[in-house]
Amino acid sequence: MQRRYTGLTAAVAALSMAATLAGCGAGGGSGDVTLKLVAADYGSSQANTSQKYWDGVARSFEKTHPGIKVDVDVMSWKDVDREVAEMVADGKAPDLAQIGAYADHAAADRLYKVDDLLSVATQANFLPLLSRAGQVDRDQYGMPFASSTRLLFYNKGLFEKAGAQPPKTWDDIRAAAGKLKAKGVKYPFALPLGAEESQAETMMWMLAGGGGYRDKTNLSYAINSPENVATFTWLKDNLVGKGLTGPVAPGKLDRQPAFDAFVRGDVGMLNGHPTLMDAAEKAGIDVGKVPLPSPDGEPRPSMGVADWMMAFKQNGHRKEIGTFLEYVYQDKNVLAFSDQYDILPVTSTASADMRSDPRHKALWPFLEELPTSELYPVGRTSWARVSESVKKNIGGAVAPGGDPDTVLSGIARDAEDAAADE
């Protein structure tokens, strides 16, 4: 059943607007305006739903900006991108959407450019990697809202019992997994290549193996590159083929069941993010964290993830949207959201605050990886189709009788077809 929470605005609008937006969207306005924001829910239940965060931000904003109301509707991640797409198709686009993808809306000329909304200072405060990822044809439309990186997690207790060492190379991963299996660990290395989020697991391993979804120019897909084929051949021969990935075939194992198994103490190693770290530690798991090793132990980029804020032009509320976004991206609000959901900040100043605060020490390893991480090619409208092909097919690359080159070449053909339609 779809979960949906409707936010209540807190302030009664005054007769005129007092706020002035700095930068390109500068200028006041007259009369009452209600902004509609649709946002994704980062909480795991109604007790910690993001609705509470957004209602708090909206009420605080309205107290100092009479004349602008903000109505927030928070939806499950399973529904929110689709719901926003349906609103747009029905001619009822929200003013703002905080969701997973912006490129399709930007390509259809539905979005304001960030230059038209934010002051230069606010734009410059976004982490450069994330600002670049929000661009289409060198214009920024996607504003980063939340970010994360992925690290290799290992269960310190299980490692100690097995006499295993934290891995520094792929051979170390194989050796540790063998020792864990010998001690009866259910999933020595959990490898979720099922449909839920296998595009992420795939990218992590591709990057570690010296490849990735794109070629060195970042202009073309390179999914069946020699590096990527070698990576999945290694996984097939050295982990899956040796029975080191557990009782569920990787192509049938989704991310959430793998994470749940880690929290139960049934997993020796897997790739994880800060939210899983927090859940596992609350369950009593002593979590070790290292970057996913490369074959030779040399550093490689980790995978970064970003979620996006975007502003629709349909309702014509550019000035009011810009005023609200200037408030949203103040450090106090960015850090409050990061604190609540163990998410990395998207601005330089908030990141510096987190890095200097010992209360956030557990997140420092993730922060260290973010500046050099690599994100999905979210600025390409073809990415959604490529991602779906990966989810549907990648498990076959490591299945018994499967051929990594054949599977990756099939995904590459799907990518070429999708890119041709851009």
Side-chain angles (χ1 to χ4, degrees):
M1 180 176 180
Q2 177 180 327
R3 288 188 297 126
R4 183 168 177 156
Y5 310 101
T6 302
L8 300 177
T9 55
V12 177
L15 293 176
S16 63
M17 290 169 52
T20 299
L21 173 62
C24 295
S30 61
D32 294 346
V33 169
T34 297
L35 300 177
K36 178 67 175 180
L37 166 63
V38 177
D41 195 353
Y42 290 76
S44 57
S45 68
Q46 192 165 356
N48 69 342
T49 173
S50 301
Q51 188 73 53
K52 294 182 178 180
Y53 168 81
W54 280 114
D55 283 347
V57 170
R59 291 182 178 121
S60 177
F61 171 80
E62 290 166 352
K63 287 177 182 178
T64 54
H65 297 82
I68 308 177
K69 299 180 180 181
V70 183
D71 181 40
V72 186
D73 197 0
V74 169
M75 302 180 189
S76 164
W77 270 112
K78 293 181 179 180
D79 304 313
V80 67
D81 282 86
R82 174 180 52 78
E83 289 276 355
V84 169
E86 290 177 359
M87 292 177 189
V88 171
D90 291 340
K92 300 177 181 179
D95 296 286
L96 290 156
Q98 188 273 298
I99 54 178
Y102 68 87
D104 284 348
H105 298 301
D109 195 30
R110 300 176 187 132
L111 303 180
Y112 286 116
K113 296 178 183 179
V114 177
D115 285 345
D116 296 329
L117 299 168
L118 298 179
S119 66
V120 172
T122 300
Q123 290 185 67
N125 199 27
F126 289 133
L127 295 172
L129 170 78
L130 303 180
S131 287
R132 291 192 297 271
Q135 295 177 2
V136 174
D137 295 330
R138 298 186 180 181
D139 287 316
Q140 186 176 354
Y141 295 90
M143 290 161 278
F145 180 76
S147 65
S148 179
T149 54
R150 305 293 172 90
L151 295 173
L152 177 65
F153 289 8
Y154 63 95
N155 184 316
K156 289 184 178 181
L158 295 179
F159 263 60
E160 183 176 350
K161 291 177 182 178
Q165 298 298 316
K168 297 179 180 179
T169 67
W170 284 6
D171 285 344
D172 293 343
I173 290 176
R174 177 179 55 193
K179 291 180 178 181
L180 292 162
K181 182 181 180 181
K183 289 295 183 180
V185 175
K186 191 172 183 180
Y187 293 89
F189 196 109
L191 185 67
L193 295 178
E196 181 185 353
E197 205 197 25
S198 56
Q199 82 281 3
E201 188 74 18
T202 296
M203 183 172 176
M204 284 181 267
W205 282 101
M206 285 179 170
L207 292 173
Y213 283 122
R214 295 173 286 187
D215 64 16
K216 301 304 181 183
T217 69
N218 282 335
L219 298 176
S220 301
Y221 290 108
I223 291 170
N224 60 337
S225 68
E227 294 86 356
N228 292 341
V229 172
T231 291
F232 277 86
T233 300
W234 187 91
L235 287 171
K236 182 177 184 292
D237 293 345
N238 292 275
L239 292 186
V240 182
K242 294 186 182 299
L244 300 179
T245 53
V248 180
K252 302 293 184 182
L253 182 64
D254 283 340
R255 180 192 66 168
Q256 193 57 53
F259 282 10
D260 293 343
F262 187 79
V263 171
R264 291 195 305 268
D266 291 336
V267 174
M269 294 174 278
L270 87 173
N271 291 309
H273 55 50
T275 304
L276 173 62
M277 175 193 68
D278 183 61
E281 290 178 345
K282 286 178 179 177
I285 305 297
D286 191 0
V287 181
K289 303 179 291 292
V290 295
L292 178 61
S294 64
D296 58 7
E298 290 298 311
R300 296 278 166 75
S302 65
M303 187 189 78
V305 178
D307 301 323
W308 303 96
M309 180 75 76
M310 62 211 69
F312 287 88
K313 297 191 292 185
Q314 179 179 310
N315 301 319
H317 295 152
R318 178 178 63 86
K319 294 178 182 178
E320 294 82 1
I321 290 170
T323 302
F324 179 60
L325 288 174
E326 291 282 343
Y327 185 80
V328 166
Y329 284 106
Q330 290 181 11
D331 281 355
K332 65 178 182 179
N333 295 319
V334 173
L335 286 169
F337 189 85
S338 298
D339 283 343
Q340 186 165 350
Y341 296 109
D342 288 315
I343 295 292
L344 301 184
V346 297
T347 63
S348 297
T349 51
S351 295
D353 284 348
M354 179 175 281
R355 190 174 288 109
S356 64
D357 188 343
R359 292 181 305 140
H360 299 298
K361 189 174 182 179
L363 290 175
W364 290 352
F366 298 94
L367 276 171
E368 293 277 333
E369 295 293 314
L370 186 58
T372 58
S373 65
E374 186 168 321
L375 280 70
Y376 298 133
V378 290
R380 301 192 63 170
T381 57
S382 58
W383 168 241
R385 288 170 58 186
V386 176
S387 176
E388 285 303 312
S389 181
V390 173
K391 292 178 185 179
K392 180 180 178 181
N393 297 300
I394 195 62
V398 298
D403 177 55
D405 192 2
T406 299
V407 172
L408 291 170
S409 294
I411 298 171
R413 287 192 293 274
D414 290 342
E416 290 174 4
D417 291 344
D421 292 336
E422 286 182 314

